[in-house]
Amino acid sequence: MLKAPVQTPEKQAASRIRILPDRVANQIAAGEVVERPAAVVKELVENSLDAGASRIDVYFEDGGRRLIRVEDDGCGMCPDDVLLALERHATSKLRDAADLNAIHSFGFRGEALPSIASVSRFTLRSRAEGWAEGTEVTVHSGRVNDTRAVGMAAGTRIEVAHLFESVPARRKFLKSDRTESAHIALCCRLLAVAHPGVSFSLSENGRTVFRSPACPGLSERVAEVFGRELAAELRPIEVSRPGLRLSGLISRPGQGRATRSELFWYANERPVENRVLSGTLLEAAKGFIPRGRFPAAFLFLDIQPDALDVNVHPTKREIRLRDETSVRNFVAEAVLNRMEELARESSQRLSAPIENPGPSALRPAVTPGPGVRPAARTLAEPDRTPGPQPARDTVQRMPATLPVRPPVAATNAPAKRPCPAGDALPSRWRYLGTAHGNFVLFETPDGLLCLNRTAAQSRVFYEDYLQSLREGSLLAQQLLFPRLFELPPLLADILERHTDFFRANGFGVESFGGDSFRVTSLPAWFEGEGCEDFIKEAVERIAENGMRPDRDAELARDTLARLASAHAARTSAPADEMEVLALARRLMSCKNPLADPRGRPTYFELSRGEMEKR
Ligand code: ADP
Ligand code: MG
């Protein structure tokens, strides 16, 4: 007699696989999508924005644990859609895979609502335009409890109560109410800033955190949401090139914040975190922001969606840039240029021509440009004076000035050049003397001015240096005896790969076997000992910032220029009156006369009013 076939272990194993009920799948997904109350707020507000809302009100209690409510006046949902919206992978924003490359909405996965509803007591009420009444549905931990018709204005209101009540394991991971509230507040502020045209409010436990009407622009919105004091320190920036656009607000030169926590990036209107973007901004703004302070910024990068990878994590703000180098170069250049422009604008305030200049010992050097009175006593700007002049020697003794000046400046007759506004400035300053070796005092029409000589030298050197590089007029001097030095292996590796970069900057460095190198030439500006230390420091900076000089040319050049200017100012001898005046004049024609490349102020002014008060 045949026995009934016995089930083989394989067959038993095959039947062990099951498709998870949606409710469980949603709870698992919820772990990713809603890691904390702020993530719920973000998903709901983004849905409201996607729905075209012109008003969004967010309310929450106890760090969002007890209650989160988001109400909007957007397009709303018809009764069928209200139920569909709670199904997994139900979305109105994506039809097929092709759409994935051209997403203009915040959501598209159709995961947020079912996930949130699976871990809370969830109430959604919505009325689409053209419908007589709205629909309300309540869901408890993923089970639809009740659906009914309700009277309401067009739009949507979603309440999420007792978040994670049914998932105690997740509840444990929440931080204090205060921390969770802070996350919610930041999330709402950032979204509000990105959409100035939407009226927005946030309240917690019956107290308003912020409330802003629709604003005409970003600046007004930042003032409403982050405060007027911060907004007043910011200036607009806007630069585009095909496929890339950078716009927003950035600290004006000379201003800065105590921490880097007010530095925000958006990519295609989403708040994002990206080390390339924030690092580039910090680097580029360095010379314009006081030392030890940080720029504040709200910067929006518009970029082709396929140049971004936003799917690194479903809710985290991190993004990956497909072509980091070109974005980095674009941002660095945009920020540097804008900061220079702003710095120039604010220094022109000082140098505006005056009607009746008082008697001054010092007048402009060369035949003055329009608007400048003729000189009483000429103070030749040495590098622009044709023919051999004693002043020329003076300049060469002053190492903070490049020995090789750009040919343009040397060949053009100064009188034919339009006189930069800054050039006239020192004519309105009366030299008073030097204090403690490094501080030069001037009387100005408005008060007293104190110039930090080394900072000024650094700044002047830095700009001359970059100019010479651009014009290819940076000279190198061959060393009679090449110098040998060694680097730690990691640094040696980096230097070896970038000897071309160093050569282009005047440092003839060659690999000499193992981790050793030989220096055969130095830039003409380099004075004093310690070229090995200088090169080592430059390599360290490059390593520290993960720079690739062959690709991140702009940043690498800037890093080297900054080191060079610090070195030059350090090794320079004290200057006499003539030199100091030439320096002051040259400083005022710099693109950014306000600070040295490390961000130290080059001068400060004490107004007459202030002196009288004291
Ligand atoms: P996604 O945003 O990825 O589409 P969600 O789960 O966040 O997925 O939302 C599902 C759908 O519900 C959306 O596609 C949208 O059609 C609808 N919806 C959600 N919130 C709103 C809202 N505030 N106003 C109008 N429709 C909404
Ligand atoms: Mg969504």
mmCIF file of all heavy atoms in Angstrom, residues 42-48 50 90-91 93 106-113 116, ligand 2:
data_model
loop_
_atom_site.group_PDB
_atom_site.id
_atom_site.type_symbol
_atom_site.label_atom_id
_atom_site.label_comp_id
_atom_site.label_asym_id
_atom_site.label_seq_id
_atom_site.Cartn_x
_atom_site.Cartn_y
_atom_site.Cartn_z
ATOM 1 N N LYS A 42 7.054 67.460 8.271
ATOM 2 C CA LYS A 42 7.631 67.711 6.955
ATOM 3 C C LYS A 42 6.781 67.065 5.859
ATOM 4 O O LYS A 42 6.434 67.709 4.869
ATOM 5 C CB LYS A 42 9.057 67.166 6.901
ATOM 6 C CG LYS A 42 9.662 67.114 5.512
ATOM 7 C CD LYS A 42 11.070 66.526 5.554
ATOM 8 C CE LYS A 42 11.614 66.227 4.173
ATOM 9 N NZ LYS A 42 11.017 65.042 3.528
ATOM 10 N N GLU A 43 6.414 65.797 6.040
ATOM 11 C CA GLU A 43 5.621 65.113 5.015
ATOM 12 C C GLU A 43 4.284 65.806 4.797
ATOM 13 O O GLU A 43 3.833 65.983 3.665
ATOM 14 C CB GLU A 43 5.385 63.641 5.400
ATOM 15 C CG GLU A 43 6.639 62.776 5.394
ATOM 16 C CD GLU A 43 7.236 62.575 4.004
ATOM 17 O OE1 GLU A 43 6.507 62.732 3.002
ATOM 18 O OE2 GLU A 43 8.446 62.275 3.929
ATOM 19 N N LEU A 44 3.642 66.202 5.912
ATOM 20 C CA LEU A 44 2.316 66.805 5.783
ATOM 21 C C LEU A 44 2.394 68.184 5.136
ATOM 22 O O LEU A 44 1.577 68.530 4.274
ATOM 23 C CB LEU A 44 1.625 66.882 7.150
ATOM 24 C CG LEU A 44 1.366 65.527 7.844
ATOM 25 C CD1 LEU A 44 0.630 65.731 9.161
ATOM 26 C CD2 LEU A 44 0.567 64.585 6.935
ATOM 27 N N VAL A 45 3.386 68.967 5.544
ATOM 28 C CA VAL A 45 3.510 70.308 4.959
ATOM 29 C C VAL A 45 3.872 70.198 3.475
ATOM 30 O O VAL A 45 3.356 70.943 2.644
ATOM 31 C CB VAL A 45 4.547 71.160 5.723
ATOM 32 C CG1 VAL A 45 4.827 72.465 4.992
ATOM 33 C CG2 VAL A 45 4.056 71.447 7.137
ATOM 34 N N GLU A 46 4.730 69.272 3.144
ATOM 35 C CA GLU A 46 5.078 69.101 1.732
ATOM 36 C C GLU A 46 3.849 68.687 0.913
ATOM 37 O O GLU A 46 3.665 69.148 -0.212
ATOM 38 C CB GLU A 46 6.196 68.063 1.572
ATOM 39 C CG GLU A 46 7.553 68.622 1.990
ATOM 40 C CD GLU A 46 8.704 67.645 1.784
ATOM 41 O OE1 GLU A 46 8.445 66.461 1.507
ATOM 42 O OE2 GLU A 46 9.855 68.079 1.914
ATOM 43 N N ASN A 47 3.011 67.856 1.494
ATOM 44 C CA ASN A 47 1.767 67.510 0.794
ATOM 45 C C ASN A 47 0.909 68.749 0.566
ATOM 46 O O ASN A 47 0.320 68.921 -0.500
ATOM 47 C CB ASN A 47 0.969 66.477 1.589
ATOM 48 C CG ASN A 47 1.475 65.051 1.358
ATOM 49 O OD1 ASN A 47 2.247 64.802 0.440
ATOM 50 N ND2 ASN A 47 1.034 64.134 2.205
ATOM 51 N N SER A 48 0.859 69.621 1.586
ATOM 52 C CA SER A 48 0.064 70.845 1.445
ATOM 53 C C SER A 48 0.639 71.728 0.348
ATOM 54 O O SER A 48 -0.094 72.325 -0.439
ATOM 55 C CB SER A 48 0.037 71.626 2.759
ATOM 56 O OG SER A 48 -0.559 70.835 3.769
ATOM 57 N N ASP A 50 2.424 70.685 -2.202
ATOM 58 C CA ASP A 50 2.116 70.005 -3.462
ATOM 59 C C ASP A 50 0.670 70.268 -3.881
ATOM 60 O O ASP A 50 0.346 70.270 -5.061
ATOM 61 C CB ASP A 50 2.325 68.489 -3.327
ATOM 62 C CG ASP A 50 3.804 68.090 -3.413
ATOM 63 O OD1 ASP A 50 4.609 68.921 -3.874
ATOM 64 O OD2 ASP A 50 4.136 66.963 -3.015
ATOM 65 N N ALA A 90 -0.114 54.760 -3.162
ATOM 66 C CA ALA A 90 -1.127 55.543 -3.866
ATOM 67 C C ALA A 90 -0.649 56.992 -3.910
ATOM 68 O O ALA A 90 -0.409 57.602 -2.886
ATOM 69 C CB ALA A 90 -2.460 55.462 -3.115
ATOM 70 N N THR A 91 -0.480 57.492 -5.114
ATOM 71 C CA THR A 91 -0.030 58.872 -5.269
ATOM 72 C C THR A 91 -0.695 59.477 -6.489
ATOM 73 O O THR A 91 -1.006 58.781 -7.450
ATOM 74 C CB THR A 91 1.500 58.962 -5.415
ATOM 75 O OG1 THR A 91 1.865 60.323 -5.638
ATOM 76 C CG2 THR A 91 2.015 58.119 -6.575
ATOM 77 N N LYS A 93 0.890 61.901 -7.949
ATOM 78 C CA LYS A 93 1.968 62.719 -8.499
ATOM 79 C C LYS A 93 2.881 61.997 -9.481
ATOM 80 O O LYS A 93 3.788 62.593 -10.033
ATOM 81 C CB LYS A 93 2.798 63.285 -7.339
ATOM 82 C CG LYS A 93 1.921 64.090 -6.389
ATOM 83 C CD LYS A 93 2.573 64.352 -5.062
ATOM 84 C CE LYS A 93 1.508 64.839 -4.056
ATOM 85 N NZ LYS A 93 2.045 64.965 -2.719
ATOM 86 N N PHE A 106 6.993 67.442 -4.188
ATOM 87 C CA PHE A 106 7.843 66.958 -3.101
ATOM 88 C C PHE A 106 7.676 65.456 -2.921
ATOM 89 O O PHE A 106 8.614 64.725 -2.704
ATOM 90 C CB PHE A 106 7.501 67.683 -1.810
ATOM 91 C CG PHE A 106 7.965 69.098 -1.814
ATOM 92 C CD1 PHE A 106 7.071 70.142 -1.944
ATOM 93 C CD2 PHE A 106 9.309 69.382 -1.714
ATOM 94 C CE1 PHE A 106 7.511 71.444 -1.957
ATOM 95 C CE2 PHE A 106 9.763 70.681 -1.730
ATOM 96 C CZ PHE A 106 8.856 71.721 -1.855
ATOM 97 N N GLY A 107 6.418 65.009 -2.974
ATOM 98 C CA GLY A 107 6.165 63.586 -2.757
ATOM 99 C C GLY A 107 5.995 62.884 -4.078
ATOM 100 O O GLY A 107 5.791 63.508 -5.104
ATOM 101 N N PHE A 108 6.146 61.601 -4.066
ATOM 102 C CA PHE A 108 5.825 60.814 -5.252
ATOM 103 C C PHE A 108 5.780 59.337 -4.921
ATOM 104 O O PHE A 108 5.409 58.514 -5.729
ATOM 105 C CB PHE A 108 6.835 61.062 -6.394
ATOM 106 C CG PHE A 108 8.267 60.745 -6.027
ATOM 107 C CD1 PHE A 108 8.757 59.451 -6.138
ATOM 108 C CD2 PHE A 108 9.109 61.742 -5.573
ATOM 109 C CE1 PHE A 108 10.077 59.165 -5.803
ATOM 110 C CE2 PHE A 108 10.427 61.458 -5.233
ATOM 111 C CZ PHE A 108 10.905 60.167 -5.346
ATOM 112 N N ARG A 109 6.141 58.986 -3.673
ATOM 113 C CA ARG A 109 6.198 57.567 -3.341
ATOM 114 C C ARG A 109 4.853 57.019 -2.878
ATOM 115 O O ARG A 109 4.654 55.819 -2.867
ATOM 116 C CB ARG A 109 7.192 57.332 -2.205
ATOM 117 C CG ARG A 109 8.611 57.554 -2.588
ATOM 118 C CD ARG A 109 9.480 57.070 -1.439
ATOM 119 N NE ARG A 109 10.869 57.326 -1.730
ATOM 120 C CZ ARG A 109 11.483 58.463 -1.495
ATOM 121 N NH1 ARG A 109 10.806 59.466 -0.962
ATOM 122 N NH2 ARG A 109 12.730 58.626 -1.798
ATOM 123 N N GLY A 110 3.974 57.924 -2.441
ATOM 124 C CA GLY A 110 2.700 57.453 -1.931
ATOM 125 C C GLY A 110 2.849 56.631 -0.672
ATOM 126 O O GLY A 110 2.106 55.686 -0.431
ATOM 127 N N GLU A 111 3.824 56.978 0.150
ATOM 128 C CA GLU A 111 4.085 56.182 1.349
ATOM 129 C C GLU A 111 3.786 56.915 2.637
ATOM 130 O O GLU A 111 3.543 56.301 3.659
ATOM 131 C CB GLU A 111 5.571 55.785 1.375
ATOM 132 C CG GLU A 111 5.804 54.401 0.869
ATOM 133 C CD GLU A 111 7.284 54.049 0.862
ATOM 134 O OE1 GLU A 111 8.131 54.938 1.087
ATOM 135 O OE2 GLU A 111 7.567 52.884 0.645
ATOM 136 N N ALA A 112 3.833 58.250 2.563
ATOM 137 C CA ALA A 112 3.802 59.012 3.809
ATOM 138 C C ALA A 112 2.498 58.796 4.590
ATOM 139 O O ALA A 112 2.532 58.400 5.754
ATOM 140 C CB ALA A 112 4.015 60.490 3.515
ATOM 141 N N LEU A 113 1.374 59.040 3.938
ATOM 142 C CA LEU A 113 0.122 58.977 4.699
ATOM 143 C C LEU A 113 -0.140 57.589 5.288
ATOM 144 O O LEU A 113 -0.409 57.476 6.491
ATOM 145 C CB LEU A 113 -1.061 59.454 3.850
ATOM 146 C CG LEU A 113 -1.041 60.950 3.487
ATOM 147 C CD1 LEU A 113 -2.372 61.369 2.854
ATOM 148 C CD2 LEU A 113 -0.750 61.815 4.704
ATOM 149 N N ILE A 116 2.290 57.065 8.254
ATOM 150 C CA ILE A 116 1.967 57.851 9.449
ATOM 151 C C ILE A 116 0.721 57.279 10.124
ATOM 152 O O ILE A 116 0.672 57.100 11.340
ATOM 153 C CB ILE A 116 1.760 59.335 9.085
ATOM 154 C CG1 ILE A 116 3.066 59.934 8.542
ATOM 155 C CG2 ILE A 116 1.269 60.123 10.284
ATOM 156 C CD1 ILE A 116 2.892 61.286 7.859
HETATM 157 MG MG MG B 2 3.703 63.230 0.344
#
